[in-house]
Amino acid sequence: MRSPAEHILKNYWNYEEFRPPQQEIIEAVLQKKDVIALLPTGSGKSLCYQVPTLVSDGFCIVISPLIALMNDQVSDLNKRNIKAVALTAGNSFDEIIQTFDNIKYGGIKFLYLSPEKIQSELIQEKIKEISVSLLAVDEAHCISEWGHDFRPSYLKLGSLKTLMPGTPVIALTATATGKVIDDIRQNLGLNKPEVFKKSFYRSNLSYNVIHTEDLYSKIPGILKKTEEPVIIYAGTRRATVEMAEYLQKKSFATTYYHGGLTEQEKVKAYELWFSEKKRVMVATTAFGMGINKANVRAILHINIPYSIENYLQETGRAGRDGISSYAVLMYSPALAHTFRQSI
């Protein structure tokens, strides 16, 4: 006999069972405990707050660092006939008021906010008028200066415990050292949180190192091994542009992404790649957090990652559909020298 959580999983996602340790996390959330969930990319972190919210009568606020990620999550939930909405910098005063009225009376179950947006006095006043049953903090490693995606605005989230007293918190991340976990616990003001960790081992993902002095000569051959989406990580903005231009000349549908692009340029590059109009994305590590694309078949590094932790998170974006995929790290003495110069 299915539990209420299993009924939700089947009815909305058509899955027969949870992956370990999703069920244990959901049970802890339903018991109103604070939770830190350290789960690898592609292991279904979002279900750990979505399912318990749907099981209960409550309403969930989700803190997410990226507009694109929020919009993807909202779109996915709405397609499943689950009411969700995101408030971003582009929303007017009237739209915010209307959104909270809809939360009160319209059955909305999820409100997605950036860590900056939730600091708005108007939004905090409106939150006081509703009953929040769960606060989910996605990409929670952003709260730690030891985390590679540190966002100072995350440090202000600890005040939400005062704003929503008694509301349990679930902090989710795909990458966190012991120090980062301690920072999440302390900076969010969590009360004896249960910590769940899952192995980063991925049976469908193979790791390869290619020793070469000529990156450019090797990449086309690797790309020809698959016709599905690929991400190539480069160490600098200049390298992303140069590699993208080289691959375009070799007739590979390629775009690029780095922190120096305008917001509009970033959105366009992301959409071209996500829609597979451009199969290959060449990017710095500015691209990746929150990427939810199941059929990425390969991750190539033409730089040396700054840590094993970073490398696992970046390569973990391949093969989220469970199909065999691969990670390729290009290595040369010149790359190693450049890496040592940068640290």
Side-chain angles (χ1 to χ4, degrees), residues 78-152:
N78 288 337
K79 287 177 184 175
R80 300 179 192 278
N81 293 317
I82 300 168
K83 292 186 178 181
V85 66
L87 288 177
T88 65
N91 292 107
S92 67
F93 176 89
D94 289 341
E95 287 171 333
I96 293 172
I97 298 299
Q98 183 178 357
T99 295
F100 278 92
D101 285 344
N102 289 339
I103 290 169
K104 285 181 184 178
Y105 309 114
I108 290 176
K109 294 291 286 183
F110 298 93
L111 172 62
Y112 285 76
L113 297 167
S114 69
E116 293 84 9
K117 193 67 175 176
I118 201 169
Q119 303 305 321
S120 157
E121 289 185 15
L122 171 61
I123 286 177
Q124 293 199 359
E125 286 302 313
K126 301 306 290 184
I127 286 173
K128 292 176 183 177
E129 298 175 6
I130 59 177
S131 177
V132 181
S133 63
L134 180 63
L135 173 65
V137 180
D138 202 6
E139 307 292 351
H141 60 276
C142 293
I143 204 167
S144 173
E145 291 187 53
W146 293 85
H148 58 276
D149 292 311
F150 175 60
R151 287 271 289 270

Side-chain angles (χ1 to χ4, degrees), residues 36 58 75 104 140 142 195 228 233 255 279 289 294 301:
I36 298 174
S75 176
K104 285 181 184 178
C142 293
V195 179
E228 293 184 274
Y233 281 111
T255 187
R279 182 172 71 89
M289 184 168 60
H301 281 77

Side-chain angles (χ1 to χ4, degrees), residues 7-24:
H7 274 292
I8 292 293
L9 185 72
K10 176 62 177 176
N11 290 344
Y12 287 102
W13 283 272
N14 200 32
Y15 295 151
E16 295 294 335
E17 58 185 17
F18 291 103
R19 304 178 195 170
Q22 287 175 327
Q23 191 154 10
E24 293 85 349

Side-chain angles (χ1 to χ4, degrees), residues 221-233:
I222 296 171
L223 295 180
K224 288 177 181 177
K225 292 176 183 280
T226 179
E227 295 181 355
E228 293 184 274
V230 172
I231 302 173
I232 300 175
Y233 281 111

Side-chain angles (χ1 to χ4, degrees), residues 206-326:
S206 67
Y207 288 87
N208 309 269
V209 178
I210 294 178
H211 292 256
T212 179
E213 293 290 348
D214 186 359
L215 295 173
Y216 282 74
S217 68
K218 297 289 185 182
I219 299 294
I222 296 171
L223 295 180
K224 288 177 181 177
K225 292 176 183 280
T226 179
E227 295 181 355
E228 293 184 274
V230 172
I231 302 173
I232 300 175
Y233 281 111
T236 66
R237 296 175 182 181
R238 179 179 175 180
T240 65
V241 177
E242 290 177 349
M243 178 58 74
E245 290 176 345
Y246 169 76
L247 292 174
Q248 287 164 0
K249 290 176 182 176
K250 293 289 184 179
S251 300
F252 293 96
T254 306
T255 187
Y256 63 89
Y257 185 111
H258 59 68
L261 300 180
T262 66
E263 196 61 38
Q264 186 176 6
E265 289 170 331
K266 289 177 182 177
V267 170
K268 182 180 179 181
Y270 171 81
E271 290 178 347
L272 284 171
W273 175 79
F274 196 85
S275 67
E276 300 184 23
K277 292 176 182 175
K278 301 287 187 181
R279 182 172 71 89
V280 181
M281 170 65 78
V282 187
T284 63
T285 54
F287 180 79
M289 184 168 60
I291 296 302
N292 186 22
K293 189 166 179 59
N295 67 330
V296 177
R297 202 54 60 220
I299 304 291
L300 281 62
H301 281 77
I302 57 172
N303 68 309
I304 297 178
Y306 282 102
S307 69
I308 292 293
E309 182 189 27
N310 287 25
Y311 186 62
L312 285 172
Q313 185 178 37
E314 289 155 16
T315 56
R317 292 170 186 134
R320 295 181 63 170
D321 53 8
I323 296 174
S324 294
S325 305
Y326 53 96

